[in-house]
Amino acid sequence: TKSYQYLTDVDDGSNMEGTALFWHIPRSGGTMVKDVLTKCRKAVLATDAGRWTDEGSAEELKVISINGDKYVNVDMSTTAGIERAKLLGLGSYEMADVIITAYIQQAASLFDSQHHGRAFTLIRNPVDRAVSMYNYLKNNGNAEVKKLTVEEYARSPHVENNWMVRFLTGKLAGPLGDDDLIVAKEVLKNKFVIGLVDDKSTSMKRFEQYFGWAYTQNPTEQYSCRKRAIEKDAKTGVLKGSESTEVSEGTDAYALLYWQNQLDMDLYIYAEQLFKKQGQELFPNLEGVQ
């Protein structure tokens, strides 16, 4: 898959250079990753900060401060924002410690043969994620979703369909097939350090080891900051807001959401296998470490 050619292969131990690129799957612990990076590691992020400030339309890249956290003045939450970041050379200036975006295929094009990206992600069970998205839209004032039960939502145009496979392959609309699933699996296997929402603590340790993220400024405070971020996230089940509706296996809602995400469910099961395999092959020293 040519789109990802300038992302370093995850098992290429010889190439430790390159900018960290986090594929942010919505409702899957991305806020925790951002909190650990900004609040605890004081890292400079390229996220969507550019959209909240006039600097987001500046002619050059710069580091800006928002509430004490540092960001590059880009907006990685839209394809137009990524295009601007590319024109300004975000991939080749080592200004951002970590780039964070949902549009992973487009973001991979920020890099070239001289400047590589190194990808990582946190993955959540797609049905759980779909229920979380329903609760999020309902609690955050989406007028149309507010009126719908979770079953109605699962049948409505608001529901996401195989989001992960679509974003990995760039096929955001139209039908998907097994070929697309094969491509998505290849990309995950070759290019990503996999984290699982079900095991955030281990996932975070792996990310830190892979990228060589150390806590050296004030280790005691930084480690307790990191612990708070991970635990805060676990308590809220990865979520902010009053998450209410739950969906159990065997219900119509579960079946409908599963049906909308069949390819993503296959990809998730594969990601769980990759997580186990990477633990043995890339992070043997972390196995069994609490």
Side-chain angles (χ1 to χ4, degrees), residues 235-247:
K235 279 197 193 79
T236 48
V238 187
L239 293 153
K240 311 285 173 278
S242 47
E243 178 137 333
S244 43
T245 303
E246 290 183 13
V247 171

Side-chain angles (χ1 to χ4, degrees), residues 139-191:
N139 294 329
N140 287 280
N142 183 306
E144 291 177 42
V145 173
K146 267 195 161 138
K147 299 178 207 154
L148 304 176
T149 65
V150 69
E151 287 88 352
E152 290 166 338
Y153 171 74
R155 290 191 174 95
S156 79
H158 297 285
V159 73
E160 290 170 342
N161 171 270
N162 295 304
W163 190 97
M164 290 193 291
V165 172
R166 288 191 180 282
F167 274 72
L168 282 172
T169 58
K171 286 193 174 180
L172 301 190
L176 290 172
D178 289 340
D179 290 355
D180 300 305
L181 177 62
I182 290 165
V183 169
K185 283 181 171 179
E186 276 299 295
V187 175
L188 266 197
K189 175 175 145 230
N190 294 327
K191 302 294 183 182

Side-chain angles (χ1 to χ4, degrees), residues 3 21 43 67 94 102 107 109 121 146 160 168 172 186 189 204-205 235 269:
S3 321
L21 172 63
N67 301 328
E94 297 188 352
S109 74
T121 191
K146 267 195 161 138
E160 290 170 342
L168 282 172
L172 301 190
E186 276 299 295
K189 175 175 145 230
M204 216 51 225
K205 286 194 187 91
K235 279 197 193 79
I269 290 162

Side-chain angles (χ1 to χ4, degrees), residues 26-228:
R27 320 305 306 149
S28 302
T31 303
M32 176 202 76
V33 173
K34 286 180 191 170
D35 280 356
V36 170
L37 290 169
T38 52
K39 311 250 179 302
C40 314
R41 279 208 70 247
K42 310 296 181 198
V44 177
L45 303 191
T47 57
D48 58 354
R51 71 194 295 184
W52 311 115
T53 157
D54 294 344
E55 296 290 3
S57 51
E59 298 289 301
E60 58 183 12
L61 295 177
K62 52 184 87 165
V63 175
I64 55 176
S65 183
I66 299 179
N67 301 328
D69 299 328
K70 294 191 178 73
Y71 299 95
V72 182
N73 60 328
V74 291
D75 180 7
M76 300 302 292
S77 69
T78 67
T79 50
I82 294 171
E83 242 351 271
R84 172 180 169 272
K86 187 176 171 179
L87 290 171
L88 296 179
L90 180 67
S92 42
Y93 292 115
E94 297 188 352
M95 204 175 270
D97 296 312
V98 185
I99 297 171
I100 296 181
T101 184
Y103 289 96
I104 188 66
Q105 195 184 48
Q106 289 82 351
S109 74
L110 292 166
F111 304 104
D112 58 34
S113 57
Q114 255 57 59
H115 309 92
H116 284 211
R118 302 173 76 205
F120 67 116
T121 191
L122 265 179
I123 297 183
R124 186 179 187 184
N125 176 301
V127 174
D128 293 348
R129 198 181 81 71
V131 175
S132 174
M133 184 57 84
Y134 165 72
N135 283 309
Y136 175 77
L137 293 172
K138 200 169 170 157
N139 294 329
N140 287 280
N142 183 306
E144 291 177 42
V145 173
K146 267 195 161 138
K147 299 178 207 154
L148 304 176
T149 65
V150 69
E151 287 88 352
E152 290 166 338
Y153 171 74
R155 290 191 174 95
S156 79
H158 297 285
V159 73
E160 290 170 342
N161 171 270
N162 295 304
W163 190 97
M164 290 193 291
V165 172
R166 288 191 180 282
F167 274 72
L168 282 172
T169 58
K171 286 193 174 180
L172 301 190
L176 290 172
D178 289 340
D179 290 355
D180 300 305
L181 177 62
I182 290 165
V183 169
K185 283 181 171 179
E186 276 299 295
V187 175
L188 266 197
K189 175 175 145 230
N190 294 327
K191 302 294 183 182
F192 283 87
V193 173
I194 307 290
L196 296 178
V197 167
D198 283 349
D199 193 350
K200 288 193 292 292
S201 182
T202 303
S203 301
M204 216 51 225
K205 286 194 187 91
R206 290 184 185 182
F207 300 156
E208 286 159 353
Q209 181 173 316
Y210 184 72
F211 292 106
W213 292 336
Y215 296 90
T216 51
Q217 291 164 327
N218 177 351
T220 317
E221 172 46 36
Q222 286 180 298
Y223 273 109
S224 64
C225 168
R226 171 190 181 283
K227 190 166 184 268
R228 282 195 303 274

